[in-house]
Amino acid sequence: MIPLLEISDLVKAFRGVRAVDGASFAVQAGSITGLIGPNGSGKSTAIDCISGFQRADAGRVHLDGTAIDGLPPQRIARAGLTRTFQDVRVYDTYTVLENLLVVAKPFATTNWADAFLRTQKFRETHGQAEARALDLIDLVGLTRLTHAPALILSYGQKKLLAFAAAMMSNPSIVVLDEPVAGVNPTRVNEVAEIVRAANRGGTTFLIIEHNVDFITSLCDHVIVFDRGRKLTEGPPAEVHRDPLVLDAYLGVEPGHEPHLARAG
Amino acid sequence: MKSGLSGVGAAKVAAVILALAILAVLPLLTSSNYLLGVAVSGLLMTVAAAALNLVYGFAGLLSFAQLGFWGVGAYCSAITVMDAGGSFWAGVLVAAGVNGLLGLAFGYPILRTRTHAFVVATITFALLCNLVARDWISVTRGPLGIPGLPPPRLLGYEIEGSARFFYIVLGYAVLALCFLYVLETSRIGLTLKAIKQNETLAQSQGISPLPYKLAVFTIAAVITGMAGAVFAFHLRVVDPLIFDFYYMQTFLIIVIIGGTGSFWGVVLAGAAMVVLPEALRFSNDLRMVIYGAILVAAMLLMPRGVAGWIEDRRLASLRANLR
């Protein structure tokens, strides 16, 4: 079985610093895969390259067997890979509902003339999109705020809204960039439940997160990044015991330097 | 979604009907060519401002190219009538066509630039238009301009007199504003303001910004160019002064005072910008001083324009209700 998302030999350098340095990994369809690693290990740059916001210097990205590297972000989103941003992004002046109705894919069968003239076809499409949007708003628990402008939402609520917006196009895979960073700890389990529910609906997730408990409880597979490439991978419980991972996070202990060679 | 008209909606409809009725009978109320002339330029500048609002208020593109399109439209209609022997109507259509092509050709490369670079490029475009008008003497007759534009004709009748010309202008203004209203309240308007608020977020949601920006830039060029084309027949002469910054500044003031991104705010401000200087004629010496003071006060009290001020009040009460 081919993986849903396959990254091979991805390279991205900034002025000679190789932020992503030959990274290869895969995300299996239907999984909740974690992507962890120390700060500066290249996780964010890697997903920027995968989602099209930065152009990789080398390497391939395949989504469901089709190459998506080099495509602009909007094409990648329409192909079925959407993402959220670390610095939570929503349209502040729009209501929660409007934030979801902006998403392009549900309206793919209508054109500008349909939208301008409010044709029968457009109104039907709009009705279906609205129904889906209301379902997602319910899923993330923002129903009470459906018609409230996003700027009055709390930080955590905005993250949930951004999550719902990423789900709106019914993507095959969603990349979540730190979904619970800065979220009230008592709410972290709620976010995990929402991700699980969406996953049961058939959506694959790739999650960047520093919250170890969140990753351990939620993910069935974890990829560990260090120095711009995959260090190791496996089930979360095993990965956390891996001495390589401890080294990457905590540094090498004196007299215990088996991995220095990797850096060179 | 909502059944029936809400209170605000009904009030809006009533206000629009009232305004249209007043405008429709205006030539019967006054025989003053001066007042009708003020109304004509007010309507055309409101249309040009509403087109700028589409580009700036909805797509977030601060375009000074509007001044270029306005003047190019005026020259197109004047040249069509005086040199090519076409009618006024053909002149307006030529202005629409030329500005459409110009908007596409100039917009395609320049819309890849952002913020300051975009502003500088559009200013340069307007300055270039002015330069061409001054120096391409074989076509534009240079600084002397093209005088003596004849009154338009309709079905063989000459539309002589300010009153009849006023109705042409009113017809065009209503059509153009209706088009912009339908466009801006559609899903296209929703997408445009999303691109304006956060372009990367919009891209991550499958929206391609460039086609949207190019479409509105071109639409605004066509609408502004047609307004300029009609305006030339109000002035009865076209010379390089049509590229005077006064026009651009008026479009901008109307958009900013009205509230960027608000259709009704801009239309209201357009009306106010016409009425205000005239209403201040009681004091000829201080007229422009008072006008300036009112503009400064408006900007100090309502930095986001009238529509922005109303929106802020609404949000404040919403917040108060929620907490």
Side-chain angles (χ1 to χ4, degrees), chain B residues 33 36 40 42 51 92 94 155 169 222 234 246 251 275 277 283 302 322:
Chain B
N33 282 345
L36 286 176
V40 161
V92 174
V94 168
L155 304 169
V169 172
V222 170
H234 167 61
Y246 159 77
F251 306 158
V275 174
S283 161
M302 304 182 284
L322 271 172

Side-chain angles (χ1 to χ4, degrees), chain B residues 99-297:
Chain B
N99 275 292
L101 291 176
L102 210 54
L104 278 176
F106 176 64
Y108 188 72
I110 201 191
L111 286 167
R112 285 149 205 281
T113 64
R114 265 150 226 282
T115 57
H116 301 81
F118 179 81
V119 172
V120 170
T122 56
I123 291 175
T124 310
F125 173 78
L127 292 175
L128 269 176
C129 289
N130 188 8
L131 210 63
V132 169
R134 236 182 40 215
D135 292 347
W136 196 9
I137 292 173
S138 59
V139 173
T140 65
R141 303 185 206 169
L144 292 175
I146 307 174
L149 300 183
R153 299 176 72 87
L154 184 61
L155 304 169
Y157 292 97
E158 204 165 73
I159 301 175
E160 185 58 281
S162 302
R164 291 176 185 168
F165 188 69
F166 170 82
Y167 283 117
I168 295 182
V169 172
L170 182 60
Y172 173 64
V174 170
L175 270 180
L177 291 176
C178 280
F179 177 86
L180 287 172
Y181 179 78
V182 173
L183 180 69
E184 289 170 2
T185 52
S186 77
R187 202 184 121 75
I188 300 169
L190 188 81
T191 308
L192 284 170
K193 276 193 179 169
I195 295 170
K196 174 190 170 186
Q197 284 186 62
N198 196 329
E199 192 164 330
T200 42
L201 178 60
Q203 282 182 295
S204 80
Q205 297 175 343
I207 296 164
S208 302
L210 190 63
Y212 279 94
K213 289 182 183 175
L214 190 57
V216 293
F217 190 74
T218 305
I219 288 168
V222 170
I223 290 175
T224 309
M226 288 172 80
V230 178
F231 190 68
F233 282 77
H234 167 61
L235 294 179
R236 295 288 180 85
V237 54
V238 181
D239 60 32
L241 278 179
I242 193 75
F243 295 105
D244 194 295
F245 197 75
Y246 159 77
Y247 294 113
M248 188 66 221
Q249 153 200 325
T250 307
F251 306 158
L252 259 181
I253 289 174
I254 293 174
V255 170
I256 293 170
I257 294 277
T260 52
S262 163
F263 177 84
W264 293 116
V266 168
V267 171
L268 265 183
M273 287 303 110
V274 179
V275 174
L276 195 58
E278 298 309 317
L280 294 174
R281 284 206 182 274
F282 62 84
S283 161
N284 252 335
D285 297 336
L286 289 176
R287 189 166 78 97
M288 293 322 275
V289 175
I290 300 173
Y291 179 61
I294 291 176
L295 287 186
V296 171

Side-chain angles (χ1 to χ4, degrees), chain A residues 6-223:
Chain A
E6 189 167 29
I7 287 91
S8 23
D9 305 316
L10 199 68
V11 176
K12 176 71 188 178
F14 299 102
R15 296 176 185 238
V17 178
R18 287 162 87 93
V20 179
D21 191 7
S24 298
F25 61 92
V27 179
Q28 299 301 330
S31 71
I32 301 178
T33 301
L35 182 58
I36 65 170
N39 289 325
S41 60
K43 310 180 296 289
S44 287
T45 306
I47 68 159
D48 275 353
C49 291
I50 294 165
S51 56
F53 284 94
Q54 290 189 34
R55 198 164 189 144
D57 301 327
R60 306 303 314 259
V61 180
H62 286 86
L63 178 63
D64 214 5
T66 312
I68 58 165
D69 44 272
L71 294 180
Q74 59 268 26
R75 291 273 303 276
I76 292 174
R78 292 199 290 257
L81 184 148
T82 62
R83 64 169 294 183
T84 62
F85 295 89
Q86 205 172 343
D87 54 324
V88 56
R89 292 182 197 185
V90 296
Y91 305 111
D92 271 341
T93 70
Y94 283 172
T95 66
V96 167
L97 180 61
E98 284 170 334
N99 262 279
L100 300 195
L101 289 178
V102 162
V103 175
K105 189 98 173 268
F107 292 87
T109 56
T110 63
N111 56 33
W112 285 351
D114 291 321
F116 183 81
L117 298 169
R118 283 86 161 164
T119 58
Q120 175 74 22
K121 186 165 104 186
F122 178 81
R123 292 200 306 272
E124 280 166 13
T125 308
H126 192 275
Q128 288 157 8
E130 192 169 297
R132 174 163 177 78
L134 292 174
D135 283 347
L136 284 168
I137 292 169
D138 184 50
L139 173 74
V140 298
L142 294 177
T143 303
R144 194 175 63 92
L145 295 160
T146 302
H147 297 289
L151 65 94
I152 71 164
L153 302 188
S154 72
Y155 183 77
Q157 287 170 330
K158 282 186 182 180
K159 284 211 156 184
L160 291 172
L161 175 57
F163 174 84
M167 292 290 298
M168 184 65 192
S169 61
N170 202 4
S172 48
I173 178 166
V174 178
V175 182
L176 301 177
D177 197 351
E178 304 203 358
V180 292
V183 171
N184 187 333
T186 59
R187 292 290 173 87
V188 168
N189 283 335
E190 283 175 36
V191 177
E193 262 323 302
I194 290 166
V195 173
R196 262 187 217 109
N199 179 249
R200 280 193 299 272
T203 310
T204 304
F205 285 92
L206 176 62
I207 303 176
I208 296 188
E209 185 50 66
H210 288 292
N211 185 325
V212 173
D213 291 342
F214 180 78
I215 289 286
T216 310
S217 70
L218 188 58
C219 297
D220 24 54
H221 194 79
V222 174
I223 295 158

